[in-house]
Amino acid sequence: MEELVNFIERVPKAQSATMWKHKDNQRQLPAPLKDAVEVFTWRKCYTMQEVNAALSKIQLVGYSQKIELFGAVQVTPLSSGYALGSSNWIIQSHYEKVSYVSGSSLLTTHPQPMDQTSLKNSDVLILTGLTQIPTANPDGMVGEFCSNLAMTIRNGGNVLVPCYPSGVIYDLLECLYQYIDSAGLSSVPFYFISPVANSSLEFSQIFAEWLCHNKQTKVYLPEPPFPHAELIQTSKLKHYPSIHGDFSNDFKQPCVVFTGHPTLRFGDVVHFMELWGKSSLNTIIFTEPDFSYLDALAPYQPLAMKCVYCPIDTRLNFIQVTKLLKEVQPLHVVCPEQYTQPPASQSHRADLMIDCLPPPMSYRRAEVLTLPFKRRYEKIEIMPELAESLVPTEIKPGVSLATVSAVLYTKDNKHVLQPPPKPTAPAQSSKKRKRAAEESNPETQLFKPLLSGSIPVEQFTQTLEKHGFSDVKIEDTSKGHIVHLQEADTLIQFEEDSTHIICEHDERLRARLRDLVLKFLQKF
């Protein structure tokens, strides 16, 4: 962000144009502007003050650190293996778990490896940020990058690498460090030009906790974890904030220049395109996969310099995703619609899509989804003094129940059962007040026993006949059974969670039948 602001502020616009944003005008513009969506929402680039204001709101956390959000859910970042500090996230309550996987890599590069184990047992796994070039192998691309670079230098040409100031550049410098001597390039200068070049190279050396194990151990030796430190000490790699000043004095050709911006629309790369574009000895090597290299080069045509496209994207490809999903086995997968079908340019490639069971739920941009699970349970804590007063009753081997009379306190989505308040003695005792106090305080009331179990209808009818009830009819209903005592003109309705005895004006009969029903149920 700092680099982008710097590049934009170097070339301030005297005025800003908006007429081109009107639909009729936009249609007549060349691609890709004529195809751009919602151009009226486009804004000027942010300033450094806005960057700092945004970053000041960020809370820094470490991998596997558990963060409570308003007591409702717990959020945990996991290493995603893609870049320094890149994370996947677990969002969980006591009984549900959602994993968010984005921008992850299983390759052995400079960051900490991806944490896959913690993603297991997810109800839902939201998957995005896969590789943008699934057919390109990152290792093969790095090899091609090195060989094209060496060939150009041997032929007396210069190499231009448009890149971001962090990320893949650390791996490229490491590969070149190993490759330089064997390829006979030890006398060729490497220049890294960016307003943040110095801080990027230095910060990468001190953030040990975000690095892979091999690089972490070097920090404690102590050695610099990245080999670009040695390249800088031996003056093979030099870094500058811009092309002006010291760089002008030190500049030697043939050389290799790493600089931004990968779009070729602003930054120091524009200067080198104009300086080297007219010679076929020179080569530009594209390594960033975010932009079409043909669109990037369009304003510079006709161009004599060679162009090589070696996109290096270490993020998960579809084969790795299929393997990952088999290992972590989420109940449901949610992903962008593009991942559920092969790319339009290669519609025959069924291997370039997510393949899992059950099939993934897909979504489009700005679509609101209802995830396929419901929160059914909450965790409730019980105070020790209340727990002491409980008397569990075993209703079957290994299962005990206890009745609880308590007050439920809820704060910040946390629930606690506390003992009910003790009844306070009224100042003037009268029968009326005593009765009112008893009604308002459940503690003083006698509790009816709770009932459990089910009533076997056939055994129940046999019991009725033993007690002198003849002419008993049974009807099956959608909710249970109805027992009809025809002589007594009485109905007994059995349902899953209730029993009703319906008899007119005969309280003694109702009480008798109730006692017969209760014989089949357990009380506690």
Side-chain angles (χ1 to χ4, degrees), residues 84 108-113 170-171 173-175 177-178 204-228:
L84 295 180
T108 308
T109 55
H110 60 275
Q112 240 192 65
Y170 302 141
D171 295 312
L173 291 172
E174 188 157 354
C175 292
Y177 170 79
Q178 295 160 357
S204 65
Q205 304 283 22
I206 60 171
F207 286 143
E209 70 267 36
W210 311 108
L211 298 174
C212 62
H213 180 70
N214 287 350
K215 287 188 169 18
Q216 278 188 13
T217 50
K218 284 187 177 180
V219 174
Y220 299 112
L221 283 176
E223 280 178 24
F226 286 96
H228 55 240

Side-chain angles (χ1 to χ4, degrees), residues 62-136:
Y63 287 144
S64 302
Q65 183 180 337
K66 292 178 167 48
I67 306 113
E68 288 272 338
L69 290 189
F70 313 109
V73 288
Q74 197 180 59
V75 178
T76 312
L78 309 172
S79 172
S80 77
Y82 174 56
L84 295 180
S86 66
S87 303
N88 293 324
W89 294 84
I90 287 176
I91 306 155
Q92 60 188 351
S93 66
H94 293 296
Y95 299 100
E96 295 85 21
K97 178 175 175 181
V98 175
S99 298
Y100 176 76
V101 175
S102 169
S104 303
S105 176
L106 291 169
L107 302 180
T108 308
T109 55
H110 60 275
Q112 240 192 65
M114 180 180 174
D115 180 351
Q116 297 175 62
T117 314
S118 303
L119 299 172
K120 289 182 177 175
N121 306 317
S122 298
D123 294 290
V124 175
L125 187 139
I126 303 169
L127 183 66
T128 183
L130 303 186
T131 177
Q132 300 187 61
I133 34 159
T135 51

Side-chain angles (χ1 to χ4, degrees), residues 21-41:
K21 293 182 178 182
H22 292 282
K23 278 272 186 286
D24 298 338
N25 298 336
Q26 192 192 347
R27 274 193 215 107
Q28 295 170 44
L29 294 173
L33 274 179
K34 70 174 181 183
D35 304 318
V37 182
E38 295 181 19
V39 288
F40 269 103
T41 63

Side-chain angles (χ1 to χ4, degrees), residues 322-350:
T322 305
K323 189 173 173 228
L324 175 72
L325 293 177
K326 277 181 184 162
E327 282 177 16
V328 302
Q329 294 186 322
L331 293 181
H332 301 278
V333 174
V334 177
C335 67
E337 191 178 47
Q338 293 91 315
Y339 298 161
T340 59
Q341 56 210 26
S345 58
Q346 296 169 295
S347 53
H348 62 287
R349 294 284 301 270

Side-chain angles (χ1 to χ4, degrees), residues 407-411 414-419:
V407 177
L408 177 64
Y409 282 90
T410 296
K411 184 182 178 184
K414 288 197 163 39
H415 314 287
V416 181
L417 281 181
Q418 298 192 352

Side-chain angles (χ1 to χ4, degrees), residues 8-24:
I8 298 285
E9 287 179 352
R10 281 184 199 173
V11 280
K13 295 272 168 69
Q15 59 190 70
S16 61
T18 55
M19 290 299 288
W20 69 272
K21 293 182 178 182
H22 292 282
K23 278 272 186 286
D24 298 338

Side-chain angles (χ1 to χ4, degrees), residues 221-287:
L221 283 176
E223 280 178 24
F226 286 96
H228 55 240
E230 192 181 318
L231 290 173
I232 293 168
Q233 279 170 359
T234 54
S235 296
K236 288 177 182 172
L237 173 66
K238 295 183 178 181
H239 54 84
Y240 303 91
S242 76
I243 53 173
H244 309 291
D246 291 346
F247 176 72
S248 310
N249 305 327
D250 300 346
F251 182 47
K252 291 191 185 87
Q253 301 189 79
C255 64
V256 179
V257 171
F258 295 90
T259 189
H261 189 265
T263 57
L264 310 189
R265 293 297 182 273
F266 47 82
D268 294 309
V269 73
V270 175
H271 172 82
F272 287 101
M273 287 300 295
E274 289 167 353
L275 179 69
W276 292 341
K278 297 177 183 66
S279 168
S280 59
L281 290 174
N282 303 321
T283 303
I284 178 169
I285 306 179
F286 289 92
T287 57

